[in-house]
Amino acid sequence: MRTTLLVISLLYVSVLSLAQTPWERLSKAPSTLHLEQGIDTYRTPEFIIKLVRSSQTVAALHPASDPAFDFTPGDSLKVRSSNGLYHLGDLNIRLKQPGDTAWKSFSTAAARKPVKAIKAGGAVLAAADLTETFASGMPLQVQRYWEVKNNQLVLRFVLHNPTKQAIEIGALGMPMIFNNLIERRTLEQAHVQNVFYDPYIGGQAGYLQVTRLNGHAPSLLVLPQANTSFEAYNPLLDDPTPRGIVFEGFYEWMALSKAYAEKEWKQAEPWNRPTSILLKPGETKSYGVQLVLSGTPRDIETTLRKNNRPVAIGIPGYVLPTDVKGKLFLEYKSPVQQIDIEPKGALSVEKATAADKAIQAYAVDGKRFGRARLTITYQDGMQQVIHYKVINPERKTIEAFGDFLTTKQWYDNSNDPFHRSPGIITYDYEKQQQVDQDNRAWIAGLSDEGGAGGWLGAMMKQLVLPNKNEIAKLERFVDETLLGRIQVKDGPQQYGVRKSLFYYEPDSMPNGTYTSAINFKTWSAWPLKEANNLGRAYNYPHVAAAYWVLYRMARNHKGLVTNHNSDWYLEHAYHTITGMMEHAPYYTQFGLMEGSVFYFILKDLKTEGKTALADKLEALMKKRAIQWNKLEFPFGSEMPWDSTGQEEVYIWCLFFGYEDKAAVTLNAILGYMPTLPSWAYNGNARRYWDFLYGGKTQRIERMIHHYGSELNAIPVLTEYRRKPEDLYLLRVGYGGVLGGISNITEDGFAPCAFHAFPATLKNDGINGDYGSGFYGYAINTATYLTQDKKLGWLAFGGNVSENSDWVTVDITTAAQRNIFIAPVSLWISFDAGQVKTVVYNKRTKEIKLMLAPADAYTPTAYFRLESTAASPATYKSVKNLSLEQGRFSLPLKKEITTVVLKAQ
């Protein structure tokens, strides 16, 4: 059992050292919460809530079912008790009075004064007049009520205009302060004590979900009270709590946001239309939220239904390729009255049907590339906003991605002093130029995630859609740059992987080598010795994956790969893994991003009969898995908390039979990877510091579909194939898969992530570490056919139709090579060949596969049949196909070839 924080790398030490001074300053700041006056405790059916007596803000919020757990950072209350630090119960307002030319800002947290208590009783637990806690000049009277309504805890603010003039309120924000502060916590402590939270910025139907890091119950839902809208989600950047890799920061729920949209956010396209209200003389308005306990993350939609909140389920999610016929299912007590689409023509929406007639169903098609907003107005006046992202068909998207990488990002400079040519280098899309220098050495150095992202993405693209011209460039890259420069080719350090080819050592380089426009006086501008370091295990999976893809292309296609045979690539993939264990053993105690590729390499070594190599590799991986099995939470990293090690840990724990640890890992993933009616947050695995290391705009910020989305989808979808009755897993996992390609531009540029801050809401400027995510897409891409009792027949990665006993899916994925038939738990995977259409018979369980014609590089289709059920049904081809190395082979024709599979 680990009793201290995971041993921290030099990278983390550098960041933490910067964070110490703010924490010390914070602890010495004068306390203004007047904690010495005491704390009052109240009980509701679901909570034990503690309020600071002087401010009536939350000191702790315990679920009654688990009183040892606190949803808020109550253990940091003393150090966070000075001015400017937000607590649950605070309020931010911007307003204008007649004659004002600018918005005036007021906050209860800015300069604290004891609140004036209002007599409580009955449903009211505590109440206060907040007017005097705002800065002088506040024209409104503001009261706050903590009350119980229908057995639920409610936080309500009452705004009254006592003046004789109308007052416009242009911003109203309620800080959502929950315990995502991981400072000085061990991994074990963080998973038990901390939470993450994600917004559904869905108007009146919006909500905030607060989930524990271990994925266990209880979760917390923050729901709108009365007609309060969830209009925007604003980072509280003025809160002095030090932000960094142990703290993402706090946010506020904004019910009104026009004042911000006119100023700080004027360069961005907001999620919802910004609004304000005009409070007339003598008029009163009420805003608030209710706090509701839920179970695990998968219980959230059930809790919404119980509380008469609209529930939306989008299939295959809220990222819609234009050739996909999406479905939207709405569950709410009131019928839909009207649906509005913005921009006009971006989507088409038509009435459809669900198996459960009580569910309102719609067919949703994407028509215009870009973000789209669907506003649903119900007959009872409730408005719900659903956020879609329309993209080009997957095939067109991935083709553009591959072309961009091998043209715009192709670096061919024989005079490069750092020997990075030929290669695929980082690209600045805002400047429309390659990044050949950066004070983060890895960005320009073709290694680490932030530098290898380009060539790794180009390699993995070939697994999806092989292209002869692109592969020829990648073969050059392997022979001239990867092996011998990034990776040591021979000698005692053979197969070691360097941290960067770019380095900063001006005394040993010619004058003019480094631009004066960049500040290289930073820890990240590595000198040659550090750039040549072989000890970072995270760099090895990128290299192993590159070899493995070219092995697959050489093994399963004709003439695509010409420089080496398939054995050469597979064995170099193997030696990269053993090189990692020899030269970078320390970090192998952690799960590695893309580490699942080691499992695929092991499978292929066994398939090829390379028993000695397979046995050695399996033994090396078993040692790692044994260590993970001893840990309570077996997925640490070089960071104190991370969302990338889970992918490999889950795969290996499952392989070696440590199913309890695989379950722990999966639950943790589900704790930070939600399904929400928004393309941005649906399937979006938590990540908030990698803009510092892989982005152009460098800041701590919730990242929208960073590589964690696709990587974490690997275990989620693997688990779904084991439990095909669990549609929740499929929705979460597929959200991560499509989310990962949602940020690719029409011309093929793939940024490291999309910025969540409402002042930005756009792609980052450089590609950074996007390639790690695309690895996840390439591994995950598949078509799923399933039947849900309430929703009917559903397809993810295809368009489904029914005709009598037959269910047909026209496949829309780019690869068209993997299919899962959930009713019979059959996984059909193609090593070569593409499936255009799959047809399933509901009665006989017969399956028909329509294969694309042969092309110059794919004369033969190779596929495997694998049952994922505990009691598998056996399938056999009607035609006697050749079976070798565990897979079927089928010569392709010039026309469509049909394969018929029958259950035995």
Side-chain angles (χ1 to χ4, degrees):
M1 171 87 59
R2 288 170 294 183
T3 56
T4 59
L5 196 67
L6 292 170
V7 180
I8 302 168
S9 69
L10 289 175
L11 177 64
Y12 173 52
V13 171
S14 299
V15 176
L16 187 60
S17 65
L18 296 175
Q20 288 299 315
T21 300
W23 272 109
E24 289 175 355
R25 282 203 304 267
L26 199 62
S27 66
K28 295 175 182 177
S31 175
T32 55
L33 273 181
H34 300 289
L35 297 177
E36 71 281 357
Q37 294 182 14
I39 291 174
D40 297 318
T41 300
Y42 305 90
R43 293 181 179 271
T44 77
E46 291 188 329
F47 296 102
I48 303 168
I49 181 171
K50 297 180 179 180
L51 301 180
V52 177
R53 185 169 297 159
S54 71
S55 65
Q56 288 191 9
T57 55
V58 173
L61 182 66
H62 306 285
S65 58
D66 187 2
F69 178 71
D70 184 3
F71 280 107
T72 69
D75 56 353
S76 302
L77 185 63
K78 186 174 181 180
V79 72
R80 296 191 64 256
S81 63
S82 52
N83 284 336
L85 292 143
Y86 290 98
H87 299 273
L88 189 59
D90 277 320
L91 186 69
N92 291 325
I93 298 176
R94 283 188 182 180
L95 54 80
K96 276 184 183 179
Q97 295 173 273
D100 287 342
T101 57
W103 296 99
K104 297 176 182 176
S105 297
F106 298 89
S107 173
T108 57
R112 296 216 181 257
K113 296 177 184 177
V115 299
K116 183 185 296 183
I118 298 174
K119 185 177 180 180
V124 178
L125 303 176
D129 190 314
L130 307 181
T131 308
E132 293 183 7
T133 67
F134 292 105
S136 61
M138 164 58 85
L140 298 175
Q141 180 187 51
V142 182
Q143 295 177 335
R144 179 184 55 217
Y145 293 84
W146 291 99
E147 52 197 1
V148 177
K149 290 188 176 181
N150 299 320
N151 290 325
Q152 292 176 346
L153 180 62
V154 170
L155 166 62
R156 185 167 60 92
F157 297 93
V158 178
L159 281 59
H160 175 69
N161 180 2
T163 75
K164 295 181 180 181
Q165 295 179 312
I167 299 173
E168 184 179 8
I169 303 175
L172 189 143
M174 295 174 283
M176 297 287 106
I177 311 302
F178 299 107
N179 196 13
N180 60 341
L181 187 56
I182 311 176
E183 174 72 17
R184 295 182 177 88
R185 291 249 165 93
T186 67
L187 192 70
E188 292 80 9
Q189 290 170 338
H191 277 81
V192 173
Q193 299 174 25
N194 287 103
V195 298
F196 285 133
Y197 37 109
D198 282 298
Y200 168 34
I201 313 169
Q204 293 173 354
Y207 58 87
L208 192 73
Q209 63 178 57
V210 185
T211 54
R212 302 175 71 170
L213 268 62
N214 57 18
H216 292 178
S219 302
L220 171 66
L221 280 179
V222 184
L223 305 177
Q225 196 269 335
N227 292 318
T228 300
S229 178
F230 199 168
E231 188 166 288
Y233 193 54
N234 190 40
L236 294 166
L237 301 179
D238 57 339
D239 186 301
T241 308
R243 296 162 64 243
I245 59 175
V246 290
F247 178 53
E248 175 183 343
F250 297 125
Y251 295 78
E252 63 180 334
W253 172 314
M254 299 205 72
L256 304 169
S257 62
K258 177 185 174 184
Y260 278 88
E262 289 182 351
K263 189 177 179 182
E264 290 93 337
W265 307 347
K266 62 183 178 181
Q267 302 299 323
E269 175 64 33
W271 290 118
N272 298 303
R273 284 188 174 182
T275 65
S276 66
I277 64 163
L278 198 64
L279 203 60
K280 299 175 183 177
E283 189 176 8
T284 298
K285 289 278 188 180
S286 180
Y287 294 89
V289 293
Q290 58 189 46
L291 307 178
V292 179
L293 276 187
S294 186
T296 68
R298 67 172 64 243
D299 298 319
I300 284 171
E301 289 174 344
T302 299
T303 304
L304 291 171
R305 293 183 187 99
K306 289 179 179 178
N307 285 273
N308 295 316
R309 307 300 302 174
V311 172
I313 296 176
I315 305 297
Y318 307 94
V319 176
L320 272 185
T322 53
D323 60 344
V324 168
K325 299 182 184 300
K327 294 184 177 181
L328 178 63
F329 300 98
L330 302 173
E331 297 182 63
Y332 185 53
K333 62 182 180 180
S334 179
V336 171
Q337 177 176 291
Q338 180 178 326
I339 297 179
D340 296 303
I341 300 165
E342 297 174 277
K344 188 176 181 180
L347 301 166
S348 70
V349 181
E350 296 181 358
K351 190 72 176 171
T353 58
D356 183 341
K357 302 305 180 185
I359 297 175
Q360 302 178 75
Y362 293 87
V364 183
D365 291 354
K367 298 297 184 182
R368 184 186 303 170
F369 186 94
R371 289 166 50 191
R373 184 165 59 222
L374 207 63
T375 302
I376 299 157
T377 303
Y378 296 93
Q379 286 184 9
D380 67 356
M382 170 71 72
Q383 280 199 335
Q384 178 174 21
V385 183
I386 298 175
H387 302 282
Y388 280 93
K389 179 68 179 291
V390 179
I391 65 173
N392 289 326
E394 283 190 53
R395 186 182 189 94
K396 185 176 180 180
T397 299
I398 305 312
E399 285 175 341
F401 174 62
D403 180 70
F404 195 100
L405 287 166
T406 53
T407 54
K408 294 286 185 69
Q409 292 185 232
W410 179 250
Y411 185 71
D412 200 349
N413 176 10
S414 59
N415 295 319
D416 178 41
F418 303 101
H419 307 294
R420 296 168 293 184
S421 173
I424 296 175
I425 203 165
T426 298
Y427 193 81
D428 187 325
Y429 193 68
E430 295 172 349
K431 292 183 177 180
Q432 291 287 302
Q433 66 184 38
Q434 295 178 347
V435 180
D436 60 1
Q437 295 193 37
D438 196 286
N439 60 14
R440 298 161 294 179
W442 57 88
I443 291 291
L446 300 189
S447 196
D448 196 275
E449 293 72 66
W455 58 260
L456 175 61
M459 284 289 184
M460 298 312 303
K461 184 269 176 183
Q462 308 312 315
L463 195 66
V464 180
L465 282 175
N467 179 287
K468 173 64 176 175
N469 292 332
E470 293 171 4
I471 288 175
K473 287 186 173 182
L474 293 172
E475 288 185 280
R476 276 192 63 201
F477 165 70
V478 167
D479 288 349
E480 299 175 42
T481 305
L482 180 61
L483 185 58
R485 293 177 182 171
I486 297 173
Q487 184 176 41
V488 180
K489 188 173 184 178
D490 47 37
Q493 295 184 320
Q494 187 177 24
Y495 301 115
V497 178
R498 296 183 172 96
K499 290 171 66 175
S500 176
L501 293 184
F502 181 74
Y503 53 88
Y504 182 67
E505 206 156 271
D507 293 343
S508 63
M509 302 296 284
N511 288 334
T513 297
Y514 301 100
T515 176
S516 60
I518 295 175
N519 174 25
F520 287 102
K521 297 183 183 299
T522 174
W523 67 270
S524 59
W526 291 333
L528 178 61
K529 181 180 179 180
E530 187 63 27
N532 280 341
N533 188 296
L534 308 179
R536 191 172 188 272
Y538 296 94
N539 296 331
Y540 289 73
H542 317 324
V543 178
Y547 289 131
W548 176 69
V549 168
L550 292 178
Y551 153 75
R552 285 262 170 153
M553 296 301 101
R555 183 70 177 82
N556 300 318
H557 298 270
K558 180 181 179 181
L560 272 179
V561 176
T562 57
N563 285 16
H564 304 283
N565 61 29
S566 61
D567 279 354
W568 187 91
Y569 289 109
L570 183 58
E571 289 175 10
H572 274 71
Y574 163 80
H575 286 302
T576 298
I577 304 171
T578 58
M580 175 187 75
M581 300 302 292
E582 179 181 353
H583 302 301
Y586 172 76
Y587 287 118
T588 62
Q589 68 180 292
F590 308 125
L592 308 174
M593 64 283 286
E594 310 135 47
S596 54
V597 76
F598 301 159
Y599 168 70
F600 301 129
I601 292 167
L602 174 63
K603 287 177 65 177
D604 285 333
L605 287 170
K606 290 183 175 182
T607 297
E608 297 287 6
K610 299 181 183 294
T611 306
L613 300 185
D615 288 348
K616 183 176 179 180
L617 176 55
E618 186 169 336
L620 290 172
M621 296 300 108
K622 183 69 177 285
K623 289 181 180 178
R624 299 173 71 207
I626 288 172
Q627 173 65 19
W628 295 335
N629 191 45
K630 296 176 182 177
L631 303 176
E632 187 177 359
F633 296 99
F635 33 78
S637 83
E638 61 186 340
M639 302 298 190
W641 175 87
D642 211 335
S643 59
T644 52
Q646 287 86 334
E647 161 230 343
E648 187 191 14
V649 169
Y650 171 90
I651 290 296
W652 284 116
C653 284
L654 201 62
F655 176 75
F656 288 115
Y658 303 136
E659 296 218 9
D660 57 335
K661 284 301 183 288
V664 167
T665 306
L666 181 74
N667 287 334
I669 292 172
L670 296 179
Y672 61 72
M673 191 173 181
T675 176
L676 292 167
S678 162
W679 71 269
Y681 291 92
N682 188 52
N684 185 18
R686 179 150 246 97
R687 197 72 170 190
Y688 56 85
W689 64 74
D690 262 348
F691 280 134
L692 298 178
Y693 308 123
K696 181 177 181 180
T697 302
Q698 298 173 47
R699 63 192 183 201
I700 297 295
E701 176 184 9
R702 178 75 160 98
M703 306 176 79
I704 301 299
H705 295 303
H706 181 255
Y707 65 69
S709 294
E710 297 138 298
L711 290 185
N712 283 279
I714 294 174
V716 174
L717 290 175
T718 300
E719 188 74 8
Y720 171 73
R721 293 193 294 271
R722 300 174 71 223
K723 299 173 182 176
E725 71 284 353
D726 193 344
L727 184 63
Y728 181 85
L729 292 173
L730 179 56
R731 291 169 55 204
V732 171
Y734 218 83
V737 172
L738 285 187
I741 62 170
S742 65
N743 294 331
I744 298 177
T745 63
E746 287 194 274
D747 60 350
F749 170 76
C752 64
F754 184 91
H755 286 279
F757 279 5
T760 309
L761 290 180
K762 66 176 183 178
N763 283 343
D764 190 68
I766 65 174
N767 64 287
D769 45 18
Y770 178 82
S772 292
F774 196 78
Y775 165 89
Y777 171 84
I779 295 303
N780 277 310
T781 182
T783 297
Y784 291 84
L785 174 64
T786 187
Q787 184 182 28
D788 183 81
K789 291 180 180 179
K790 294 176 66 176
L791 307 182
W793 284 96
L794 307 173
F796 293 69
N799 294 320
V800 64
S801 60
E802 293 181 68
N803 185 4
S804 186
D805 288 337
W806 294 96
V807 182
T808 299
V809 181
D810 295 318
I811 294 178
T812 58
T813 64
Q816 298 182 316
R817 59 181 173 85
N818 295 327
I819 303 153
F820 184 67
I821 311 295
V824 290
S825 301
L826 185 67
W827 179 237
I828 307 168
S829 58
F830 277 73
D831 293 338
Q834 292 186 324
V835 183
K836 295 295 186 182
T837 303
V838 58
V839 185
Y840 172 71
N841 190 291
K842 296 180 284 186
R843 182 175 52 83
T844 66
K845 297 180 173 51
E846 180 179 311
I847 299 169
K848 295 179 181 179
L849 307 173
M850 285 69 169
L851 307 188
D855 63 33
Y857 307 110
T858 313
T860 304
Y862 300 104
F863 67 96
R864 305 170 193 273
L865 303 178
E866 177 188 354
S867 176
T868 63
S871 301
T874 303
Y875 271 83
K876 187 176 181 181
S877 172
V878 170
K879 291 184 179 179
N880 205 12
L881 300 181
S882 175
L883 182 64
E884 54 186 58
Q885 293 186 325
R887 66 183 186 178
F888 295 98
S889 62
L890 173 66
L892 296 172
K893 304 174 184 177
K894 293 183 179 180
E895 63 275 354
I896 294 291
T897 301
T898 300
V899 176
V900 179
L901 306 173
K902 287 200 172 183
Q904 301 299 298

